[in-house]
Amino acid sequence: METAGEEIDEFRLDRMHFSVARLTDPDDAPAYWLSRPVEERLRALELLRRTFYGYTSAGEGLQRVLEVAQLEQR
């Protein structure tokens, strides 16, 4: 199993390539991500999730509590 650091290393920012675009320019990001394998897209999505919500163990899943209550007959 990969650790969080190994996943981040895979998606390093290449600072040698830089471009400036206007907000009105057509966006090629959807075409790029659709051309990538599903596994790569999921790894990138997980990286974004961890970037926004952190790497804490609490973020791995919250316990759900379910209580069944009996409805009293009237």
Side-chain angles (χ1 to χ4, degrees):
M1 179 176 214
E2 292 180 339
T3 64
E6 291 171 355
E7 290 176 7
I8 290 174
D9 288 340
E10 182 180 351
F11 290 102
R12 290 271 180 207
L13 179 62
D14 183 358
R15 296 181 189 274
M16 298 301 294
H17 294 89
F18 181 78
S19 64
V20 177
R22 292 186 174 95
L23 291 175
T24 56
D25 290 348
D27 188 9
D28 61 349
Y32 170 78
W33 284 110
L34 287 173
S35 72
R36 307 310 306 157
V38 173
E39 293 82 12
E40 183 178 344
R41 289 187 272 175
L42 288 174
R43 284 194 311 270
L45 182 63
E46 177 64 13
L47 176 66
L48 290 173
R49 185 193 68 79
R50 288 184 182 193
T51 301
F52 288 120
Y53 298 111
Y55 294 97
T56 64
S57 60
E60 292 175 5
L62 300 174
Q63 179 181 3
R64 294 179 187 223
V65 178
L66 176 66
E67 182 179 334
V68 178
Q70 295 294 328
L71 180 62
E72 293 181 19
Q73 297 292 328
R74 292 185 185 204

